[in-house]
Amino acid sequence: MKRILITGALGQIGSELTMRLREIYGADNVIATDIKKSDNLNFESGPFEILDVTDGKRMVEIAKKYNVDTIMHLAALLSATAEAKPLFAWNLNMGGLMNALETAREVNAQFFTPSSIGAFGPTTPKDQTPQDTIMRPTTMYGVNKVAGELLADYYHQRFGVDTRGVRFPGLISYVALPGGGTTDYAVEIYYEAIKNGRYTSYIDKGTYMDMMYMPDALNAIIDLMEADSSKLIHRNAFNVTAMSFAPEDIAASIMKYIPNFKMAYNPDPVRQKIADSWPNSIDATAAKQEWGFKFEYDLDKMTQDMIEKLSQKLQIRKMA
């Protein structure tokens, strides 16, 4: 990768990935785009363009202006929000993806877009979900992700676009807040533990979902994009994961550092139904074999780092 265009650069992944890529590839070589400006990104650190991903003409203009050789398409509406606005989700998620793939084809760019464990459904095997398996999701977000995986495969097979992707689990970060996902509780719980010493989970006890700490997620993207193309059998939507836990597991981990932390449960019907349709744990063997996927953070190591970093962040906010 030499010159990289990122859509959705102000989102949970994009705001951290942009800065990481600028450190590695040079600030001027990473072009951040989003539909509006926000405090999530240091705009002075490199180029930024306003982009609505449903405007395909504008996307091609930006790609040609900066002579990009890589497109990372992150702009999307997440699972819980997509259920509230299914038509908008389809138009944004699928229209934006088509425009990004067409742009990659036109400028001959390597292409990345993330899929999700949301692509699985209630009939998918729940434990150690295989790389290749039944995929019949029951959410608009999941339908978008399965269609997106197929589209990325199609653009590779039909047009020779170097498409690549992973199926991300829930992502946990201390930098940017998540925006309308089912696994958001696993971020919120740390904020509430530090600020108030208690949290009421909208996901019920005993609900296992795969998760990953953001530093591992960023490494996975970069490692996949820099991998030898000839070794990629699946190419799109590799299963990746670092840990699988239920709400009571993350609460127990937090209590090792905040002993008086209290957890309560008040399941949200919409997000609980989505969570129940997803796997308990997924098998990342294909990613390990084809491009050397690995992770560094387990639950306790992540908890220690989250509490340390968030404590610093929240104290700075209070002082300000």
Side-chain angles (χ1 to χ4, degrees):
M1 295 187 289
K2 293 182 176 64
R3 292 183 69 78
I4 306 162
L5 173 66
I6 302 176
T7 71
L10 303 181
Q12 188 192 19
I13 299 175
S15 54
E16 295 190 55
L17 180 62
T18 298
M19 303 310 291
R20 179 72 179 278
L21 292 174
R22 284 176 175 174
E23 289 172 9
I24 298 171
Y25 298 95
D28 291 340
N29 296 321
V30 180
I31 297 86
T33 72
D34 214 307
I35 197 164
K36 60 183 178 181
K37 288 198 170 187
S38 155
D39 294 335
N40 284 9
L41 192 68
N42 177 4
F43 294 102
E44 306 305 315
S45 68
F48 178 87
E49 298 276 352
I50 298 289
L51 173 65
D52 178 343
V53 294
T54 61
D55 184 348
K57 184 181 176 184
R58 171 73 175 144
M59 194 182 296
V60 171
E61 284 174 0
I62 294 171
K64 288 182 175 178
K65 174 182 176 181
Y66 291 94
N67 193 28
V68 302
D69 66 359
T70 304
I71 295 172
M72 295 190 175
H73 180 61
L74 306 178
L77 213 61
L78 299 184
S79 56
T81 311
E83 280 306 280
K85 303 175 181 178
L87 182 60
F88 178 60
W90 176 267
N91 291 335
L92 174 63
N93 292 354
M94 301 315 301
L97 177 59
M98 280 297 295
N99 288 335
L101 284 164
E102 272 295 298
T103 301
R105 182 173 75 87
E106 186 160 337
V107 303
N108 193 29
Q110 188 183 17
F111 185 83
F112 172 86
T113 196
S115 186
S116 161
I117 58 172
F120 301 123
T123 55
T124 300
K126 282 282 195 185
D127 299 304
Q128 286 300 296
T129 303
Q131 174 69 34
D132 302 305
T133 187
I134 299 163
M135 301 175 75
R136 303 289 291 179
T138 53
T139 65
M140 176 54 77
Y141 180 71
V143 170
N144 293 166
K145 287 304 184 185
V146 173
E149 291 182 18
L150 295 172
L151 270 175
D153 281 342
Y154 175 78
Y155 267 76
H156 173 64
Q157 293 157 6
R158 177 75 173 78
F159 302 116
V161 179
D162 184 0
T163 57
R164 308 183 184 198
V166 298
R167 290 184 190 124
F168 273 132
L171 296 179
I172 299 172
S173 165
Y174 62 86
V175 177
L177 287 168
T182 300
T183 56
D184 290 0
Y185 89 89
V187 179
E188 293 172 3
I189 189 172
Y190 288 106
Y191 278 85
E192 293 304 312
I194 292 166
K195 290 194 291 186
N196 302 314
R198 61 181 65 248
Y199 180 67
T200 300
S201 174
Y202 58 76
I203 296 296
D204 206 0
K205 193 180 292 189
T207 307
Y208 282 84
M209 288 185 281
D210 281 81
M211 302 280 181
M212 180 179 281
Y213 198 30
M214 189 63 79
D216 285 330
L218 302 182
N219 286 338
I221 294 171
I222 294 165
D223 289 348
L224 173 58
M225 293 303 282
E226 293 290 4
D228 182 347
S229 180
S230 67
K231 294 181 179 177
L232 301 180
I233 299 166
H234 290 88
R235 184 164 287 278
N236 285 297
F238 286 93
N239 282 357
V240 292
T241 183
M243 57 193 105
S244 175
F245 56 73
E248 63 269 28
D249 298 323
I250 194 170
S253 183
I254 288 171
M255 287 175 71
K256 293 177 183 177
Y257 305 95
I258 306 175
N260 295 325
F261 175 67
K262 298 286 189 295
M263 180 84 146
Y265 299 89
N266 183 23
D268 168 57
V270 173
R271 287 192 277 196
Q272 185 63 45
K273 186 178 179 184
I274 295 172
D276 289 340
S277 74
W278 290 353
N280 297 328
S281 61
I282 58 178
D283 181 1
T285 300
K288 292 173 184 175
Q289 292 176 342
E290 293 177 38
W291 50 276
F293 166 68
K294 57 187 181 296
F295 63 89
E296 181 183 347
Y297 289 88
D298 61 13
L299 176 55
D300 283 341
K301 187 173 181 182
M302 176 184 72
T303 295
Q304 182 178 4
D305 197 59
M306 278 289 286
I307 289 173
E308 182 182 314
K309 298 292 200 312
L310 271 183
S311 295
Q312 296 170 1
K313 179 180 177 179
L314 294 171
Q315 281 170 2
I316 290 169
R317 279 187 175 176
K318 283 174 183 174
M319 286 169 64

